Amino acid sequence: MKLVMLGSGTSTGVPRIDNDWGECDPDEPRNRRSRVSIIVESNGGERLLVDTSPDLRQQMLSNRIERLDAVFWTHDHADHCHGIDDLRVLRYGRSAPLPGFAASETVRRLRQRFGYIFSGQYGYPTIVQIDTLDRMRIVAGFSVRSCQMPHGPIESTGYRFDADGKSIGYATDFSEITNEMVDLFSGVDLLVSDCLRRDPHPSHAHVSMALDLAMRCRVGRTVLTHLDKSMDYMTLSREIPEGTEVGFDGLEIIL
């Protein structure tokens, strides 16, 4: 399996629009962060996309991703879904819409906001055929499991992808560790974890919480994501334990 980290930043990215880098060194390329999204790829080349960030077009171009087999969403916050229109190009040449999956409430809200994506409009074809996670088990050769995670006042979906004897867990946008999360991510080869900042936050994990999740799940390797402008790449890399690394846009990990 392969992980491609398309984006590793918080909702405003790094730097922010006013060129505010915070504590991040602007001369370190790994501090330039677009909004979070990942690709999970099997040995056979099947690709799953998790979240359609507002930066999706540039992320796909930068990583030379020209084809997908399915799309998953964690929740409907803007930084995780507002790039959904860029899926139109990935529909070209397909005989059927892209398969898409999310928790039932996320499906409802996405349909409400982006109806043309899921039902076509004015003669244009349906881009994504979306379904709820409880109706899905195997997609493009991947075994996919999920659970709902607390994300402040709402929920975000955590995913576990298994293929080719390897496993990748994706836990972005969570504010509490639950037993369901520990069960889902237990023993994964690679865990990609939310890690907004060092201090606690009402709707996101901080460094200690991310490391605690990895320890409780006994994961093989951990990559931190959803990093804000206080998380300088080199400084944070020196602070975290062995087996944990700071994610960055364009990071590829082959298991």
Side-chain angles (χ1 to χ4, degrees), residues 15-36:
R16 293 181 176 178
I17 281 179
D18 58 0
N19 208 38
D20 180 6
W21 289 84
E23 298 173 37
C24 291
D25 178 2
D27 293 325
E28 168 53 70
R30 288 167 291 193
N31 280 330
R32 185 175 291 275
R33 301 173 179 133
S34 60
R35 274 64 72 91
V36 290

Side-chain angles (χ1 to χ4, degrees), residues 87-133:
L87 295 177
R88 288 187 302 124
V89 176
L90 296 163
R91 172 68 166 90
Y92 298 165
R94 292 180 59 93
S95 60
L98 281 161
F101 302 93
S104 57
E105 177 61 13
T106 302
V107 169
R108 185 189 71 80
R109 293 173 68 91
L110 289 174
R111 282 187 179 278
Q112 184 180 53
R113 291 161 62 189
F114 305 105
Y116 75 99
I117 294 287
F118 307 109
S119 59
Q121 195 175 68
Y122 307 126
Y124 289 98
T126 297
I127 298 166
V128 176
Q129 182 67 49
I130 197 167
D131 210 341
T132 56
L133 292 167

Side-chain angles (χ1 to χ4, degrees), residues 178-207:
T178 65
N179 291 335
E180 291 78 12
M181 292 168 62
V182 174
D183 289 343
L184 180 67
F185 302 124
S186 180
V188 293
D189 295 294
L190 175 65
L191 174 67
V192 182
S193 176
D194 190 28
C195 188
L196 183 72
R197 63 190 192 188
R198 293 173 180 82
D199 297 329
H201 186 277
S203 57
H204 282 276
H206 57 298
V207 174

